[in-house]
Structure formats: C-alpha cells, structure tokens
Amino acid sequence: MKRTFLRTNAFMLVLALALCLVSAIGAFFVQNDGGHVTTKDMEWETSSGETLSALLFKPDTATADSKAPAVVVSHGWWNNREMQDAVYVELARRGFVVVSVDLYGHGNSGPLDQKDIPVNGTGMYDAVKLVAQLPYVDVDSIGVEGHSNGARAANYSVIADNAADTQLISSVLLVDNEAFYAQEDGSYYNLYGSRDVGLVADQYDEFFFRSYDANGVAITKPRDFVTTPNAQSFLNFGQDPSSLTEKRVAGEFYSDTIDGTDASRVLYTPAQTHPWGPFSKQTVADTVAYFEKTLGSPNPVAADSQVWQWKEAFNALGLVGFGIFLVAFAKALLSTRAFAGLRRTEQAPLEGRNRAGLAWFWGGLIVSAIVSGVSYILLAQNAPIGALSFNSVPSAFPQGAVFFIALWAAINGVVTLLIAAISYLAYGRRTGVDLRATGLLPGWKKFFQGIGLGAVVVVAAFAIVAVVDYFFKTDFRIWVLAVKWFTPDKIWWSFLYLPFFLVYFVSNSIAINVFSRFTIRGKEWVNTAILALFNALAPLVLVVVQYTTFFVTGELVPGFPGINSIWLFPVIVILAVAAVVSRKIYRATNNPYIGGFIMAATVALVSVSNTLTVTG
C-alpha cells in the first residue's frame, strides 16, 4: 500500500510542498543563526533620488550600549543581494551588522541609467550612509565588501567617501575586481588613504588581473598577478613599483602609517574562477579573517568554521521542490472540472524504432547540438549583439543578458522545428505518425485550455516563492541558479522576453514528445534521459572546453568571452530539466504545449528577476 502511494501524483505534490517548507525553515534558521540574528528587508529612497533595496542582518549582541562593527556587502553585475549569502551569514553570526544591497538596477532596487553607474557606489555608499545612522553600529568600524562589480561599487564608494566631509569607510575588501592602482597620467597612487584594504585576485579570473602591453595584448596571466607592478604597488600603498626592491607576496598583511594612522594591505590569490568567489569556502574564510583583523569581531569564530553551506543545501532542496511542483500541480489540476478535459484518457503503447527511425533520431539530436553550440559562439562574437547584451547602446530590451540568452533560445527553437518537420516529412509520415493523435493538433479549445492550466501552475509556483520570501526571507537557489521573489515590474519585463522563450521551449517540447518519444531498450526513461542530455549537451561541451583550456593554458578560448561561458551555467540545468518536465506533463495530457508554456514562463520570470535592468 505504501509503495503504491509513493508512486502517486498526490505523494509527489506533498513531497514538493514539504521540500519547499523544509527549505524555507532550514535556510531561515541558518541565516538567522538559530534566532540570534534578525533579518529585515529594507527599501528606501536614497539621497541619490533612487530606490535602494537591501537585507539588514542585526545580531542580538548589537545594541546602542554595545555598538557593533558593520559591513556593507554587494553582489556582481547581473546578480542580486542574495548572491552574498555566504558572506552575510558568516559575518552576522560573528557579531557584525551586515547590509547586503541590491545595486541600482539589480534585484528589487530601482532601474539603472548607464550614466549613474558611479553615483554613490551604484547604491553601496548610500547604504553606508544609512548604516552610519543606525544606533547600534560603531561608526568608526564600517567596512565595504563587494564581488566583481560589487568591488567596483566599493571603489566608487571610496571615491564618494573621500569627497565627503566625514569619512565613514575604514576597511575595504575587493573580491574579483581590480583595485585602483594608477591615475589617468599613469602615475601610481594610493586612492584608499589610511583605510585597510584587501584584494582577492583569482588565479583563474575570466576578466581581471592581467597586465597588457602598449597594444592591449595580455602579457601576464591572472595566476601571475602577484608578480605584476599593479599588485606590488597595491601592497606598497601606491608606491611606484619600479623604485621597490622588496617583492611582497600574497596572503601576508603589510602595514604602514598613512596620515598618522596605521593601515594595512593584503592580497589573496585563490586558485578558483571568477564566479566561484561567492560560493568559495576559501574566499569566505579570507573575508571573515580580514574583517575580524581590520574591524574586530564581537564574537570571534575560526574562519574555517562555516555554516553557510547548510543554507545552500536547504536552498537547493527548495529548488528541487519547486521543479517537482511544476509537474505535480499541473497533473493535479487535471482532476478539477476546469481542466479535466485535458487529461489523457488512454496510454498508447510505445515501441522501439527501427534502424531508419533511430538514424533520424540520433541525426536530429547531433545536428541540433552542433547548431546550438555554433550559434552561441557566433552570437557571442557578434559586435551589435554584444552591444545590446551589455546595454551599451539604446535598446528596447533593458535586460541585455536576458535578451542574449532569449535570442539564442529562439534561434534554436526555429532550428528544432525545421529538423522536426524534415524528420516527419522524410520518415514519420511514411511510418504512420498521426499529428492529431500525438497532440500536435489538439484543437483550439484544448490548446487555450492548456495555456490556461500552464498559467495557473506558474502563478501557484511563484506564489510559494512569495510566501517563503514574506515569512522567511529566503528563496530557492544553488550557486548561479536562483528562483526568487521579485517586484511587480519584473512581470511586465518578463512579457518582453516571453515570446523568445516560447519559441524555444514549445518547439523543444513538440520535438521531444511528438516526434522523439519511443522506447530505447524497451524503456521510455532511457529515451527521456538521452533527450535531457542532448538538450544541455552544447552548453555543457562549451563550458568544459572553455575551462579545460583556461586551467591548462591560463587563458580562455580565443573568441569565446568569459561572461558568455558563465551565462551557460544555469542554462545547462534548465535545459536538462525542461526535457523531463515537458515529457511528464505530456504523458498526462497528450498536449506538448502545456509543458513548453510552463517552462517558458518560468524561465522568463527567473531570468528577469536575477539580472540588471538598464533604462537609459
């Protein structure tokens, strides 16, 4: 009896909801240090005239009578405040007040105009000014930390702080972006004055920590950064490296007296890639140790004693539950009066294909994978597309990164339909494939009824995300793949990209279910697994080739920009999952459009809520 129930859709629906609940509760308790840290979701109009969103973490040891040091932390470009969760969890449990901001244009903060990127640290310095007013913060012990463009925001914040009547920032940690070494005339200088400054320079950073000759050709690799003039000048407080005799090394704190104040410099060079920074135990340990040394920790804990991984594990459970819910709730709706007409009334027996059929199957998969990989590289090398992707030219698409992925998806959707059509005309029609029986032609009533069911599923799924955000201030994520709650404007932005994603995911569902569903070695799941693999094969191969080349040679594949390979990390998972989701829903409905719509709408919402919005 138990075994029978475990195979039912009711069990899968309960499991999905249970995973989401366990995820929320578990992540909440880790994030809040078992109740010793209070989390507040803040949004305010800053002195820059922009809307800034942030998460505030206040340890219970931080009071007006026992003021605590504070750190404002920030994510990189195309990310959001939750990407800093490893850092804010570990700092808050050590007694630091932490504010994790959505930089302007990101997450729940207001949209960004390109000309405003430097303004008050893209929002970071506006957060510093707010933190300095909190009654439980030690105003003489405020630090800033940022990853990638969050580090650039920290640099801009230092510039704003230098111009202020009263300096607020006393410690700076730049993670995976350059420090400011020289002025416009090329002379080395110390932008940071008497502040303590740390720099994390990855040995396999896709973007930074190279030296260039007069023609702009890289002459040193990131793993050699510590030997460069920039690194040596940084560690020597802005001195001209040509006049130095001592070669300073990574991992050691160097001190000097600047304007009568003791200051320190330190360089960390972990053997990791740029996007691994926010997810790195080593970098988190370095961050904790750095701020404990420069600001002092109210609750010292060994730097390598970390619990944020438990939060990530709970977050990942919720991500799995979210995916299961998409399928289980869609199938549950088939029992309601509104959608009962979509339920598949009988299961047609499946058989394996003959040799000719298998040749068309494998041939189509291989051609699709090749086109997918080649088209991605060509788009990455296209200058006009690149300008749109980076929002460096006026565009109707305010989220350039989403536009790039959506355009690539649509191109491959069209190719998928062409391959399916050729396969049908050359093979399927001769073997008796009935387009109406396979659900490709369900009739207008069932088509729109299916879209309605898909819309209900997507709304319900994100309602769970909203509830988790409201009560627990957590979301569902693993590294760069995140399902989070969003501000209402993201709904309208998603409609801008939804047509592109519909072309791909509907076409993919049609190809997978109408033209490629059969048994292999007598089992349908083998067929599904192969389709899931080939859905993600091109991105997977591109990533493997890129990073194998990088680790062996110290440089990326020529003509394949680092950001384009990073954008593929979540895509690999999404494309593999899409094959499974669309197949399971198709088996219950004989309708390929429902799963395609659900995936397209979900991906559109996930994409626009985890990126940068530029409106000018």
Side-chain angles (χ1 to χ4, degrees):
M1 194 71 170
K2 290 182 179 179
R3 176 175 289 180
T4 301
F5 175 70
L6 295 179
R7 293 178 177 272
T8 65
N9 188 64
F11 170 76
M12 298 306 295
L13 186 57
V14 170
L15 176 63
L17 295 173
L19 288 175
C20 291
L21 181 60
V22 170
S23 167
I25 295 174
F28 171 83
F29 276 103
V30 176
Q31 179 171 282
N32 292 281
D33 193 29
H36 296 295
V37 173
T38 300
T39 303
K40 296 182 179 180
D41 194 343
M42 305 190 301
E43 182 179 291
W44 71 99
E45 189 81 3
T46 69
S47 59
S48 302
E50 305 286 350
T51 300
L52 189 66
S53 168
L55 290 172
L56 168 67
F57 301 91
K58 177 186 174 296
D60 56 15
T61 53
T63 66
D65 296 326
S66 179
K67 298 179 186 292
V71 183
V72 177
V73 303
S74 176
H75 55 82
W77 224 228
W78 298 298
N79 291 139
N80 47 55
R81 62 192 189 183
E82 289 84 5
M83 278 293 288
Q84 288 290 91
D85 60 352
V87 171
Y88 59 63
V89 164
E90 295 303 331
L91 288 176
R93 67 187 283 254
R94 288 167 171 80
F96 292 89
V97 173
V98 186
V99 172
S100 183
V101 299
D102 277 328
L103 294 178
Y104 292 140
H106 296 78
N108 297 337
S109 290
L112 177 73
D113 191 300
Q114 281 281 20
K115 71 179 188 303
D116 294 332
I117 288 176
V119 174
N120 276 338
T122 325
M124 175 180 270
Y125 193 62
D126 286 320
V128 169
K129 291 190 289 185
L130 176 73
V131 165
Q133 298 174 12
L134 298 176
Y136 44 82
V137 166
D138 180 358
V139 74
D140 295 321
S141 300
I142 297 177
V144 293
E145 182 270 352
H147 173 257
S148 189
N149 271 284
R152 179 170 72 161
N155 279 326
Y156 286 143
S157 295
V158 170
I159 293 173
D161 199 41
N162 285 341
D165 294 334
T166 301
Q167 279 68 57
L168 300 173
I169 300 172
S170 61
S171 183
V172 182
L173 181 62
L174 309 171
V175 180
D176 300 345
N177 203 332
E178 305 279 5
F180 283 4
Y181 314 107
Q183 302 182 82
E184 291 185 4
D185 63 3
S187 61
Y188 287 92
Y189 77 131
N190 176 18
L191 168 74
Y192 308 98
S194 59
R195 299 177 182 87
D196 298 313
V197 187
L199 174 62
V200 178
D202 293 331
Q203 293 184 30
Y204 298 97
D205 195 286
E206 291 88 336
F207 312 108
F208 305 111
F209 311 116
R210 294 161 176 80
S211 294
Y212 299 89
D213 63 18
N215 298 316
V217 177
I219 55 177
T220 63
K221 298 175 173 61
R223 60 194 181 197
D224 303 319
F225 175 70
V226 70
T227 67
T228 66
N230 282 345
Q232 291 300 309
S233 176
F234 170 78
L235 290 173
N236 283 275
F237 298 83
Q239 293 186 55
D240 188 332
S242 63
S243 64
L244 302 172
T245 57
E246 175 195 9
K247 290 294 183 182
R248 294 191 166 181
V249 299
E252 184 172 337
F253 274 81
Y254 295 95
S255 299
D256 201 350
T257 301
I258 308 294
D259 298 329
T261 302
D262 291 337
S264 64
R265 298 288 183 270
V266 62
L267 172 65
Y268 303 102
T269 56
Q272 62 192 30
T273 63
H274 183 93
W276 195 247
F279 212 69
S280 163
K281 181 178 181 179
Q282 181 60 56
T283 296
V284 172
D286 290 338
T287 300
V288 167
Y290 172 79
F291 282 115
E292 285 189 337
K293 183 175 179 64
T294 60
L295 296 180
S297 172
N299 179 32
V301 177
D304 61 355
S305 176
Q306 301 174 17
V307 300
W308 64 269
Q309 295 93 336
W310 286 104
K311 179 179 182 296
E312 299 297 339
F314 282 117
N315 287 152
L317 274 183
L319 197 61
V320 173
F322 181 87
I324 295 174
F325 180 84
L326 293 177
V327 175
F329 190 61
K331 293 169 71 173
L333 288 176
L334 299 176
S335 300
T336 65
R337 179 179 298 180
F339 301 111
L342 292 171
R343 187 190 307 169
R344 189 172 199 149
T345 56
E346 58 182 37
Q347 292 283 351
L350 290 179
E351 298 178 356
R353 281 190 175 183
N354 58 27
R355 183 175 297 179
L358 287 173
W360 277 102
F361 173 72
W362 289 107
L365 291 181
I366 293 170
V367 171
S368 294
I370 291 173
V371 170
S372 179
V374 171
S375 63
Y376 194 85
I377 293 293
L378 292 177
L379 285 176
Q381 296 174 338
N382 185 280
I385 296 298
L388 292 172
S389 301
F390 287 87
N391 294 108
S392 57
V393 296
S395 169
F397 300 98
Q399 296 168 322
V402 180
F403 168 74
F404 181 91
I405 296 297
L407 177 63
W408 172 63
I411 291 171
N412 283 277
V414 172
V415 172
T416 296
L417 280 182
L418 287 174
I419 293 174
I422 293 171
S423 173
Y424 170 72
L425 294 174
Y427 172 77
R429 185 168 56 180
R430 292 189 293 103
T431 57
V433 173
D434 185 338
L435 298 183
R436 190 171 297 278
T438 58
L440 183 64
L441 303 174
W444 289 114
K445 180 180 178 180
K446 285 193 173 183
F447 174 80
F448 286 111
Q449 194 177 20
I451 299 303
L453 183 147
V456 172
V457 170
V458 173
V459 169
F462 280 97
I464 294 174
V465 179
V467 169
V468 168
D469 174 80
Y470 183 82
F471 288 103
F472 301 99
K473 285 302 157 207
T474 63
D475 55 20
F476 307 140
R477 64 176 55 233
I478 181 71
W479 193 24
V480 291
L481 178 58
V483 179
K484 68 182 296 291
W485 187 234
F486 43 79
T487 49
D489 62 313
K490 302 302 188 299
I491 297 174
W492 306 115
W493 293 131
S494 72
F495 285 127
L496 193 60
Y497 305 97
L498 181 59
F500 294 90
F501 287 122
L502 282 172
V503 171
Y504 174 76
F505 285 105
V506 171
S507 299
N508 185 252
S509 181
I510 289 172
I512 285 174
N513 295 303
V514 174
F515 298 107
S516 299
R517 182 176 176 237
F518 55 91
T519 63
I520 295 180
R521 296 186 177 275
K523 300 182 183 298
E524 184 184 353
W525 72 263
V526 178
N527 171 277
T528 304
I530 290 171
L531 290 165
L533 172 63
F534 270 86
N535 257 12
L537 186 60
L540 182 60
V541 169
L542 290 177
V543 167
V544 169
V545 170
Q546 176 80 293
Y547 287 96
T548 300
T549 302
F550 199 8
F551 293 142
V552 171
T553 68
E555 281 298 354
L556 301 171
V557 174
F560 189 17
I563 190 61
N564 294 106
S565 54
I566 291 172
W567 285 345
L568 286 175
F569 294 154
V571 169
I572 292 170
V573 178
I574 289 170
L575 294 184
V577 169
V580 178
V581 169
S582 65
R583 171 60 59 85
K584 287 186 173 295
I585 294 176
Y586 176 79
R587 288 182 61 183
T589 63
N590 199 46
N591 186 323
Y593 302 100
I594 299 173
F597 175 84
I598 289 173
M599 286 303 306
T602 300
V603 170
L605 286 168
V606 167
S607 299
V608 301
S609 58
N610 285 283
T611 191
L612 164 69
T613 304
V614 177
T615 56

